[in-house]
């Protein structure tokens, strides 16, 4: 949440820069104060306070168009499309191009494609120098599978504006907001078919190379999506192609990327990147959303489940293997803090809001958990002769080092390559639903993943254990059953904001539940446990809702304890 201190800093800024000695200065200060506070609260997803300050700004400012536009965005982002549209129809915003863009996004979200298309055509007529509306028209024509017309618009846009037309990617996301997986994949497939149409139009044949979208570079979790794609090629599930990646985005972990360069050519030269961007935009594979397998669009989680099960069935090794030099260097560093080279190293990572500078009410807050609830499990690992290294970064709550436990996250030893060494060298990884939890799997390291959500996803390996967060419904005044938590939209809900709209609150795993599932991992892989009646019942419900599930195993004791939710 935005603190009073931050508000005071903002207030002091206006006082210092605008002054309050004259009535004009005071009026301007008040107008700007509420408008800017409204925008800050809007960015913070605090829609209630955003509306409050933006309404004040509308009443106090002579020019009401900007606060009115931002107020409509606050209502739109809060899920109140009707009020947002009513505000956008105000005559003050009649010739505002940004208001038209907001209308387009709302109507696409409401699946009123023709209405959105009419507004796009209005935008092209009123604002012929704005490339957004041309890109929007092309996207809508793709949705309608009118590839020939869409390609004409694309080439006209490139001729008129250059390749800046590719900057507008939010339209596709706004179309997907609130959609179910089936609709998302239908859209994803149409975009793939359109790119294939364009490639054949330019090259006459479909070239045997492709670009992986550079969007994956921004987070270590998205970078791990190279794993199923490369595996799919090696299994013959998708055609083998030369893979390229333009390093034009901020790279979350350079060391991890270097491990993947065994399978993909990464281009770092700025001049080469600039010249290749137009080709990348036509060829890029957006792994964040899905993978095309035999002309069918598989949602990314379904694709991962399908590919990894086939990979495990053929008993293939993990794609990545720690380099001997990195291994030696890593163990030398751990030895300095009292951790000898051992097969009983456990890495611990519990997601907090600090790394991404997120607030308590951010859309990803459902993935966070309390590190203190893991300490009993840590003590059990140490009691059984293990060593626990806590991972993360210095924004996290510091923990006291003790025999068998080292808070690496808040230590000066923290580095990108050391992160990879630790993930790859562990007996197992203990953590929550974070990007980092996807890295150990690519090196063949099993995981115990707790506070897991949503239930439409599942850890990737048959060696993994997981336990989910429970969901409390204010509407039903009770904890939801596992089946209710799997049904749409909750089963694929990746947003705390959306959970709030559904009047549902996630309940974190307690320390006892975390300890129990860690004990299961420590006890070893017992095939008999898989036939536990409660585990079988959970898996039966799971397969009812999700066709291609990953192989991660639900904790047996967790299923027994919460059997009333089955």
């Amino acid at each position: 949440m935005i603190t009073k201190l931050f508000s005071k800093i903002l207030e002091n800024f206006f006082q210092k820069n605008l002054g309050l000695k004259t009535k004009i200065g005071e009026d301007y200060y008040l107008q700007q104060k509420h408008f800017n506070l409204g925008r800050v609260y809007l960015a913070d997803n605090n829609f209630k306070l955003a509306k409050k300050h933006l309404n004040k700004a509308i009443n106090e400012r002579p020019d009401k168009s900007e606060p009115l536009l931002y107020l409509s965005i606050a209502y739109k982002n809060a899920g109140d499309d009707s009020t947002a549209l009513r505000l956008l129809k105000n005559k003050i915003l009649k010739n505002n191009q940004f208001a038209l863009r907001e209308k387009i996004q709302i109507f696409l979200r409401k699946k009123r494609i023709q209405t959105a298309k009419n507004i796009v055509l209005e935008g092209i007529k009123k604002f012929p120098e704005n490339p957004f509306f041309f890109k929007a028209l092309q996207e809508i024509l793709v949705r309608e599978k009118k590839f020939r017309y869409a390609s004409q618009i694309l080439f006209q846009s490139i001729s008129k504006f250059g390749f800046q037309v590719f900057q507008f990617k939010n339209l596709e996301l706004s179309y997907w907001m609130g959609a179910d997986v089936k609709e998302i994949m239908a859209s994803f497939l149409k975009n793939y078919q359109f790119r294939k149409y364009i490639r054949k139009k330019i090259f006459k044949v479909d070239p045997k190379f492709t670009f992986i979208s550079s969007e994956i570079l921004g987070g270590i979790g998205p970078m791990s999506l190279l794993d199923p794609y490369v595996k799919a090629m090696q299994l013959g599930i998708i055609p083998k192609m030369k893979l390229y990646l333009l390093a034009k985005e901020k790279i979350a972990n350079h060391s991890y990327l270097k491990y993947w360069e065994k399978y993909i050519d990464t281009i770092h030269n700025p001049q080469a990147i600039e010249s290749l961007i137009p080709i990348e935009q036509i060829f890029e594979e957006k792994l964040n959303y899905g993978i095309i397998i035999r002309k069918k669009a598989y949602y990314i989680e379904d694709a991962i489940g399908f590919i990894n099960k086939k990979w495990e069935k053929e008993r293939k090794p993990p794609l990545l293997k720690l380099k001997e030099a990195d291994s030696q260097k890593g163990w030398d560093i751990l030895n300095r803090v009292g951790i000898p080279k051992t097969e009983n190293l456990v890495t611990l990572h519990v997601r907090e809001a600090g790394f991404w500078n997120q607030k308590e009410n951010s859309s990803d807050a459902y993935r966070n958990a309390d590190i203190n609830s893991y300490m009993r499990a840590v003590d059990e690992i140490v009691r059984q002769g293990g060593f626990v290294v806590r991972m993360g970064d210095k924004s996290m709550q510091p923990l006291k080092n003790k025999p068998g436990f080292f808070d690496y996250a808040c230590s000066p030893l923290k580095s990108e390559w050391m992160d990879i060494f630790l993930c790859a060298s562990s007996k197992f990884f203990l953590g929550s639903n974070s990007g980092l939890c996807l890295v150990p799997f690519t090196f063949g390291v099993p995981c115990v993943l707790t506070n897991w959500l949503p239930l439409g996803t599942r850890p990737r390996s048959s060696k993994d254990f997981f336990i989910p967060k429970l969901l409390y419904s204010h509407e039903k005044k009770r904890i939801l059953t596992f089946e209710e938590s799997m049904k749409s939209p909750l089963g694929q809900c990746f947003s705390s904001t959306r959970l709030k709209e559904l009047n549902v609150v996630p309940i974190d795993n307690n320390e006892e539940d975390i300890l129990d599932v860690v004990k299961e991992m420590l006890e070893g892989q017992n095939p008999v446990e898989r036939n536990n009646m409660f585990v079988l019942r959970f898996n039966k419900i799971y397969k009812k809702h999700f066709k291609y599930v990953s192989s991660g195993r639900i904790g047996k004791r967790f299923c027994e304890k919460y059997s009333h939710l089955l």
Side-chain angles (χ1 to χ4, degrees):
M1 292 178 66
I2 296 177
T3 63
K4 291 182 179 179
L5 176 63
F6 186 87
S7 301
K8 190 67 178 175
I9 291 170
L10 193 62
E11 189 171 317
N12 288 340
F13 170 81
F14 287 114
Q15 289 176 343
K16 182 179 178 181
N17 289 277
L18 300 175
L20 294 176
K21 292 184 179 179
T22 66
K23 184 71 172 67
I24 294 174
E26 185 175 349
D27 288 346
Y28 186 72
Y29 157 70
L30 288 171
Q31 295 159 12
Q32 292 300 108
K33 172 187 174 183
H34 290 299
F35 178 56
N36 283 284
L37 279 174
R39 289 194 299 171
V40 173
Y41 280 118
L42 178 59
D44 201 42
N45 288 331
N46 191 331
F47 303 127
K48 184 177 180 180
L49 286 175
K51 293 173 193 174
K52 174 184 173 182
H53 285 283
L54 290 169
N55 271 310
K56 286 185 177 181
I58 290 170
N59 294 329
E60 294 166 352
R61 282 178 58 142
D63 177 12
K64 303 181 185 302
S65 60
E66 277 193 299
L68 188 63
L69 176 64
Y70 277 95
L71 183 61
S72 72
I73 295 172
Y75 277 102
K76 183 194 79 171
N77 291 356
D80 188 349
D81 289 342
S82 298
T83 303
L85 284 171
R86 179 175 57 79
L87 293 169
L88 290 167
K89 288 177 182 177
N90 192 298
K91 62 181 181 180
I92 297 172
L93 298 175
K94 184 177 180 182
N95 293 311
N96 188 303
Q97 57 185 308
F98 298 102
L100 289 182
R101 288 173 63 164
E102 291 300 315
K103 286 181 185 178
I104 291 165
Q105 292 177 358
I106 290 172
F107 283 118
L108 285 176
R109 184 160 74 179
K110 294 168 77 70
K111 304 169 195 171
R112 292 173 57 182
I113 306 301
Q114 188 57 50
T115 304
K117 190 175 181 180
N118 292 338
I119 298 171
V120 167
L121 294 172
E122 179 188 347
I124 290 173
K125 185 177 180 180
K126 286 184 176 180
F127 308 104
E129 298 307 314
N130 189 331
F132 168 83
F133 295 105
F134 290 86
K135 176 63 174 172
L137 179 58
Q138 175 227 306
E139 291 280 0
I140 289 172
L141 289 168
V142 170
R143 300 292 179 268
E144 296 175 332
K145 296 197 77 170
K146 296 177 180 177
F147 296 152
R148 185 162 66 89
Y149 295 116
S151 64
Q152 289 173 3
I153 294 296
L154 175 62
F155 293 134
Q156 286 173 16
S157 302
I158 292 171
S159 175
K160 185 177 176 66
F161 303 108
F163 286 92
Q164 63 172 307
V165 294
F166 290 114
Q167 295 173 4
F168 301 102
K169 297 183 180 181
N170 290 338
L171 189 68
E172 188 172 58
L173 294 175
S174 68
Y175 179 79
W176 287 0
M177 284 181 68
D180 61 27
V181 170
K182 187 176 179 181
E183 290 173 328
I184 291 171
M185 286 300 97
S187 173
F188 184 76
L189 181 60
K190 289 171 189 173
N191 274 281
Y192 168 80
Q193 291 168 338
F194 176 64
R195 290 198 308 273
K196 192 169 183 179
Y197 176 88
I198 292 293
R199 290 199 294 264
K200 286 190 175 180
K201 199 172 182 67
I202 295 173
F203 296 97
K204 307 306 177 186
V205 295
D206 206 3
K208 299 302 178 184
F209 68 87
T210 194
F211 285 80
I212 301 298
S213 173
S214 59
E215 291 174 358
I216 69 167
L217 295 174
I220 201 164
M223 287 172 73
S224 75
L225 294 175
L226 287 167
D227 186 84
Y229 198 82
V230 173
K231 284 178 177 174
M233 284 200 301
Q234 293 196 4
L235 289 166
I237 293 172
I238 62 175
K240 286 189 177 181
M241 290 178 286
K242 184 75 174 173
L243 300 181
Y244 294 98
L245 176 63
L246 301 186
K248 62 181 181 178
E249 307 286 346
K250 181 181 177 182
I251 299 171
N253 190 299
H254 293 77
S255 297
Y256 193 44
L257 181 59
K258 282 183 179 178
Y259 273 94
W260 282 112
E261 286 176 350
K262 177 181 178 181
Y263 303 101
I264 185 168
D265 282 352
T266 307
I267 298 166
H268 296 272
N269 182 279
Q271 289 77 25
I273 289 172
E274 189 172 349
S275 64
L276 287 169
I277 284 176
I279 299 176
E280 179 216 29
Q281 298 294 339
I282 296 170
F283 282 85
E284 71 174 349
E285 298 288 339
K286 289 180 173 289
L287 301 187
N288 285 3
Y289 305 120
I291 297 176
I292 303 295
I293 300 175
R294 300 181 183 120
K295 298 183 179 181
K296 180 181 176 182
Y298 282 67
Y299 178 58
I300 188 61
E301 293 297 333
D302 292 342
I304 288 168
F306 175 74
I307 293 163
N308 281 329
K309 280 187 174 181
K310 190 170 177 60
W311 190 265
E312 285 191 352
K313 187 177 180 181
E314 297 190 14
R315 298 186 177 182
K316 290 181 175 289
L319 289 177
L320 303 184
K321 183 180 179 181
L322 190 66
K323 296 171 186 173
E324 185 59 38
D326 285 345
S327 177
Q328 184 62 50
K329 185 179 176 183
W331 286 116
D332 286 347
I333 288 175
L334 286 183
N335 193 51
R336 286 185 231 156
V337 294
I339 299 176
K341 188 171 182 179
T342 175
E343 294 182 355
N344 293 318
L345 177 69
V346 175
T347 41
L348 167 68
H349 179 259
V350 180
R351 191 184 192 276
E352 296 180 17
F355 181 75
W356 295 104
N357 296 313
Q358 293 173 335
K359 312 300 180 193
E360 292 175 8
N361 59 345
S362 74
S363 61
D364 276 336
Y366 73 93
R367 299 165 66 195
N368 300 336
D370 180 10
I371 184 66
N372 295 298
S373 61
Y374 289 75
M375 298 319 291
R376 279 184 65 190
V378 168
D379 291 341
E380 179 63 22
I381 294 167
V382 173
R383 189 186 71 78
Q384 294 196 31
F387 294 85
V388 180
V389 175
R390 189 268 190 107
M391 300 185 68
D393 68 281
K394 62 183 179 181
S395 71
M396 292 180 156
Q397 175 190 335
L399 298 175
K400 187 177 180 180
N401 294 326
K402 57 185 180 179
F405 175 80
F406 176 58
D407 188 2
Y408 157 80
C410 298
S411 80
L413 301 181
K414 162 79 178 173
S415 70
E416 287 188 1
W417 79 265
M418 190 70 177
D419 284 352
I420 304 307
F421 159 75
L422 289 168
C423 285
S425 303
S426 305
K427 179 179 182 179
F428 67 89
F429 176 99
L430 168 60
S432 59
N433 190 354
S434 67
L436 190 64
C437 81
L438 303 176
V439 175
F441 168 76
T442 60
F443 288 90
V445 173
C447 298
V448 177
L449 297 176
T450 55
N451 286 297
W452 193 259
L453 212 64
L455 271 175
T457 65
R458 202 162 175 162
R460 299 176 177 181
S461 170
S462 60
K463 298 177 182 178
D464 296 340
F465 286 93
F466 79 103
I467 55 173
K469 290 189 179 187
L470 302 179
L471 295 177
Y472 180 84
S473 168
H474 284 294
E475 183 181 338
K476 297 185 177 181
K477 294 183 173 55
R478 61 171 173 81
I479 294 174
L480 298 177
T481 65
F482 290 125
E483 181 155 21
E484 288 171 326
S485 298
M486 292 178 198
K487 286 181 179 177
S488 181
L490 289 173
Q492 299 288 357
C493 184
F494 294 89
S495 166
S496 292
T497 306
R498 180 66 175 138
L499 286 172
K500 190 174 180 180
E501 289 172 5
L502 295 168
N503 219 7
V504 169
V505 178
I507 302 172
D508 285 6
N509 299 145
N510 60 45
E511 58 181 11
E512 182 183 347
D513 293 335
I514 296 169
L515 174 61
D516 281 343
V517 73
V518 167
K519 283 181 177 179
E520 287 183 57
M521 176 63 85
L522 292 169
E523 288 162 4
Q525 311 290 327
N526 185 354
V528 177
E529 300 292 350
R530 302 182 191 184
N531 296 323
N532 176 279
M533 62 179 291
F534 299 114
V535 171
L536 291 173
R537 194 181 301 171
F538 180 91
N539 289 334
K540 185 177 180 181
I541 299 169
Y542 208 102
K543 289 174 183 177
K544 176 181 172 184
H545 294 279
F546 309 106
K547 185 177 181 181
Y548 302 105
V549 295
S550 288
S551 302
R553 291 185 282 158
I554 184 72
K556 177 181 75 72
R557 292 171 185 138
F558 185 85
C559 273
E560 290 173 345
K561 181 176 178 179
Y562 298 101
S563 58
H564 59 286
L565 299 177
L566 289 167

